[in-house]
Amino acid sequence: MTQRLRLNKNADRRLKAGHLWIYSNEVDTKATPLKEFAAGEAALIEASNGKALGVAYVNPHSLISARIMSRDPEMRLDRSLFVHRFNQALALRQRMFDKPFYRLIHGEGDLLPGLVIDRFGDVLVVQLNTAGMQALADEIVDALEKVIKPEVIVFRNDTGGRRQEGLEAQVEVAKGVLPDEVLIEENGVRFAVPVLDGQKTGWFYDHRVNRAWLNAQVAGKRVLDVFSYVGGWGVQAAASGASEVLCVDASSKALEQVARNAELNGVQEQVAIGEGDAFEALAALKADGEQFDVVILDPPAFIKKRKDIPNGERAYARLNREAMRLLGRDGLLLSASCSMHLAHDRLVDVVRGAVRHQDRHGQLIFQGHQGPDHPVHPAIPETAYLKALGVRVYRD
């Protein structure tokens, strides 16, 4: 018998608008005490008048105490639900991409809150970010076997979100034998992806469309790729005809992968690497009198929580100012942010302020977002997190 979770009066407004989250202060804890639920347990969600609103999984220890999995109150959280959702998600990806390299499941955007799956050909990397998805791990693997039939399934369960859910970190190969190198292709360029010990799932598909735009702007140009990670931007720029590319990252391991990825595409002569803190590296390049035609800024999220907004905005502002100092008279800045809490308009503000600080002019010539394999749920603004601005920076 599925337990019931009743909401306070009018607490169902967001759900009616399409949202999938229920906060702990929206639950009628007198009628249905949260403490009676185990983390990850399924529940029938009811409005204050007892009307069934759908099926969710619950975590009594989390601020988001329940996440809707289906609007159908009869739906069971089992393999068949995942098979259905995976088929829906796969249909979208196969419509958009001709090769099996994409984000297969983007959490709430694919109506599977707490679940992320990236596809690298026959290798799937799965992140179970909530207690509810952790409880359904076996059903998820079974459904993937049916829909995708992958050779390898890797669990990258080491995200910050799991800590907030009270879950332990674990990385393991759940099925098959991982090959020595996992290879993907993006925008016609090949990459080896560190799925076991790289950032997130090992790769960031979300910038694919933005990289494709930049690739068309770099022929014959000198390019600086800051926070390069394994060379997603920089190696593609070199493969697209950039004369020189400098990839800067704080991780020596990531930079080894940059060198490998440059070699994979025969552009090792054009790609140089520099290890160090981004801010220090930018200052050192300026002190050495270096200049670039194109600078790419794709930093990690400087704003993880709402309280980080003031400090985070200052960090983005400083980063953009320092980067612009390295541009020639007529340069191109690609400024990105994956911080959900930095609004698009605020990033435009940051760039505008940096342009004026250098006493230059700026023209916004490209505004990019996450790719179609990271679908945005129209009722959940948090699913639209990625921004990328292409800015021409020039002097009179």
Side-chain angles (χ1 to χ4, degrees), residues 24-52:
S24 52
N25 63 357
E26 295 175 323
V27 175
D28 181 349
T29 49
K30 285 196 176 71
T32 54
L34 275 168
K35 64 177 186 291
E36 290 182 4
F37 288 85
E41 186 178 347
L44 182 66
I45 305 302
E46 292 182 340
S48 59
N49 62 3
K51 185 185 175 206

Side-chain angles (χ1 to χ4, degrees), residues 180-224:
D180 291 341
E181 245 184 359
V182 176
L183 297 175
I184 66 156
E185 188 183 301
E186 181 180 291
N187 298 325
V189 183
R190 297 171 72 215
F191 290 91
V193 175
V195 298
L196 282 181
D197 55 3
Q199 293 178 26
K200 302 290 172 99
T201 64
W203 183 254
F204 295 91
Y205 282 124
D206 51 3
H207 269 306
R208 178 196 329 240
V209 178
N210 305 325
R211 291 189 189 115
W213 177 81
L214 190 74
N215 293 346
Q217 321 299 322
V218 297
K221 306 286 194 214
R222 190 164 193 242
V223 177
L224 173 62

Side-chain angles (χ1 to χ4, degrees), residues 363-379:
Q363 290 174 315
L364 211 50
I365 57 174
F366 173 76
Q367 300 184 60
H369 312 277
Q370 62 222 55
D373 52 346
H374 291 62
V376 173
H377 191 304

Side-chain angles (χ1 to χ4, degrees), residues 54-79:
V55 181
Y57 60 74
V58 179
N59 188 344
H61 314 300
S62 174
L63 174 65
I64 302 172
S65 61
R67 298 173 202 245
I68 298 275
M69 287 281 281
S70 174
R71 301 277 168 182
D72 178 0
E74 302 297 317
M75 184 64 74
R76 296 169 63 86
L77 305 190
D78 60 12
R79 174 179 176 269

Side-chain angles (χ1 to χ4, degrees), residues 85-143:
R85 291 271 196 269
F86 291 166
N87 276 318
Q88 286 178 319
L90 183 62
L92 173 67
R93 277 69 180 177
Q94 289 179 333
R95 198 183 309 160
M96 298 291 171
F97 307 110
D98 59 355
K99 294 189 175 163
F101 308 118
Y102 40 70
R103 173 152 291 186
L104 174 66
I105 297 296
H106 183 55
E108 283 77 356
D110 285 297
L111 303 181
L112 288 170
L115 180 64
V116 169
I117 304 176
D118 279 349
R119 184 175 189 182
F120 307 114
D122 290 323
V123 177
L124 297 180
V125 179
V126 178
Q127 290 183 319
L128 309 170
N129 294 320
T130 56
M133 284 301 174
Q134 181 65 59
L136 294 162
D138 291 345
E139 287 83 353
I140 290 166
V141 169
D142 287 351

Side-chain angles (χ1 to χ4, degrees), residues 59 62 67 128-131 158-167:
N59 188 344
S62 174
R67 298 173 202 245
L128 309 170
N129 294 320
T130 56
D158 53 355
T159 60
R162 280 179 68 88
R163 283 194 297 278
Q164 290 166 11
E165 287 272 310
L167 299 169

Side-chain angles (χ1 to χ4, degrees), residues 263-280:
E263 188 190 317
L264 264 177
N265 294 281
V267 294
Q268 58 270 41
E269 298 301 314
Q270 291 102 288
V271 177
I273 57 177
E275 186 181 339
D277 169 81
F279 290 99
E280 289 170 13

